[in-house]
Amino acid sequence: MIPLEYYLILSAFMFVTGVAGVLTRRNAIVVFMSIELMLNSANLTFVAYSSFLGDVVGQLFVFFVMAVAAAEVAIGLAIIIAIFRNKVTINIDEINILKW
Amino acid sequence: MTLEQGLFGFFALIAVASSVLMVTRKNPVISALFLVLNFGALSGIYILLRAQFIAVVQVIVYAGAIMVLFLFVIMLLRPEKEKSYFKERPQAKFLAIVIGLLMFAQIIYAVFFAATGKMVDDARRVEIGTIEYIGRELYTTYLLPFEAIAFVLLTATIGALVLSKKKLD
C-alpha cells in the first residue's frame, strides 16, 4: 500500500504549481485554469484522507467541490466573455477598472 | 515494486508534468489540453485510492464538461499575444522561485506533522468508494447540502445566461 504522504506531497506540488500559474500568467482563462488545478489538488487531499481514514465524508465533500467548481466556471467564463465584449482583451493587467 | 506502486508512479509523473506544462505553455489551448491530461491522471490516482465514484465523476464532469466549456470560450475569444511576466521584471523570477519553494516546504512540513489517526484496511476503503455507499450517505445524512448544491447550480445557470446576454436591461 502506498503511504498517505505520497498522495499529500503530490497534492502539495499541484497546489503550488496552481499558485504559480495564478501569480505569473496574464491570460484570464489560464489564471482560471490554474484555480481549477488548485481545487483539484485540494480534492486529492480530501480523497486521500477519506480513503485512509475510512470516512466517506471526504468523498462527499469532493462531490460538492466539483459542483461548486462547475457553477464557478459557468459564471466566471460568462464574466470573461462580458469583459471581452467591452474591452476586447482578457489580459488581467489591462482589466483594472476596480483598482484605485 | 508492486503493480500499485508502479501505477502510482506513472500517474503521479503524468500529473506533475502536465501541471507544470499547463502553467508554462504560452498557448491557452495547449494549456487546456494539458489540464485535461492532468485530470485524467488524477482520475487514475483516485482509482488507486479505491474511490471509483469520484474517479468516474472526475472524468465526466471535469475532463468532460468543464474543460469543454473552457475550450469553447478559448476558441470564442481572439487569441492574443501574452507577454511574459518575467521578461519585464527579471528580478521577480528569483523571488517567485523562492516564494514557491517556501510555500511547498510549508505544506510538506504540515504534511509530516499531520495527525493521521488510525488507518483502515482495504475492504473498508473499497466499501466507502462505491456509488451505492456514497449515494446512501448523500440522500440521508447529507440531504440538505445536496439540495443546496442543486440550487447553487440552478443559480449559476441563470447567472451565466444573464451575464452573457448582449444587453443588460
Side-chain angles (χ1 to χ4, degrees), chain B:
Chain B
M1 193 166 77
T2 62
L3 179 65
E4 192 179 359
Q5 284 166 334
L7 281 174
F8 178 79
F10 176 69
F11 286 130
L13 203 68
I14 293 180
V16 165
S18 61
S19 65
V20 170
L21 286 169
M22 186 226 114
V23 170
T24 51
R25 291 308 95 182
K26 284 274 160 298
N27 189 337
V29 178
I30 293 174
S31 282
L33 292 177
F34 273 121
L35 195 57
V36 173
L37 184 64
N38 187 22
F39 289 163
L42 264 187
S43 168
I45 286 173
Y46 290 155
I47 292 282
L48 290 179
L49 282 166
R50 318 290 194 271
Q52 306 105 313
F53 173 66
I54 296 297
V56 172
V57 170
Q58 170 88 7
V59 171
I60 295 174
V61 174
Y62 259 119
I66 293 182
M67 290 319 292
V68 168
L69 201 59
F70 265 111
L71 285 170
F72 261 118
V73 172
I74 290 171
M75 289 168 184
L76 268 179
L77 307 181
R78 175 163 14 112
E80 53 187 309
K81 264 274 186 279
E82 187 186 351
K83 274 181 288 177
S84 170
Y85 180 73
F86 295 118
K87 212 145 260 165
E88 301 154 29
R89 312 170 185 77
Q91 75 280 13
K93 196 165 201 164
F94 175 72
L95 206 63
I97 292 169
V98 169
I99 291 175
L101 285 178
L102 266 180
M103 197 162 171
F104 190 58
Q106 193 180 9
I107 299 176
I108 297 298
Y109 178 83
V111 162
F112 280 101
F113 287 88
T116 37
K118 207 166 145 281
M119 301 300 173
V120 292
D121 59 341
D122 214 40
R124 172 75 181 155
R125 297 171 75 189
V126 173
E127 187 199 349
I128 64 162
T130 57
I131 189 163
E132 186 193 350
Y133 195 91
I134 289 179
R136 202 182 297 126
E137 281 288 308
L138 207 56
Y139 281 101
T140 53
T141 324
Y142 296 93
L143 186 62
L144 190 65
F146 185 66
E147 296 292 341
I149 211 74
F151 205 75
V152 167
L153 279 174
L154 176 69
T155 319
T157 316
I158 296 170
L161 281 176
V162 171
L163 275 173
S164 46
K165 261 195 341 193
K166 199 122 213 175
K167 266 217 175 75
L168 293 173
D169 348 271

Side-chain angles (χ1 to χ4, degrees), chain A residues 1 25-26 37 40 51 53, chain B residues 23 25 38 82 116 125:
Chain A
M1 207 153 90
R25 296 302 300 262
R26 294 275 134 313
L37 192 65
N40 265 279
S51 165
L53 297 178
Chain B
V23 170
R25 291 308 95 182
N38 187 22
E82 187 186 351
T116 37
R125 297 171 75 189

Side-chain angles (χ1 to χ4, degrees), chain A residues 6 60 68 78 95:
Chain A
Y6 285 27
L60 291 178
V68 170
I95 306 163

Side-chain angles (χ1 to χ4, degrees), chain A residues 5 28 47 55 58 63:
Chain A
E5 279 80 13
V47 175
D55 191 345
F63 182 74

Side-chain angles (χ1 to χ4, degrees), chain A residues 21-76:
Chain A
V22 169
L23 293 180
T24 58
R25 296 302 300 262
R26 294 275 134 313
N27 187 327
I29 293 179
V30 181
V31 170
F32 221 160
M33 289 196 289
S34 301
I35 293 173
E36 292 301 313
L37 192 65
M38 286 154 73
L39 280 173
N40 265 279
S41 78
N43 280 356
L44 178 59
T45 308
F46 270 125
V47 175
Y49 267 111
S50 160
S51 165
F52 275 87
L53 297 178
D55 191 345
V56 75
V57 177
Q59 294 186 21
L60 291 178
F61 214 95
V62 169
F63 182 74
F64 291 136
V65 168
M66 281 177 180
V68 170
E72 174 222 331
V73 165
I75 294 284

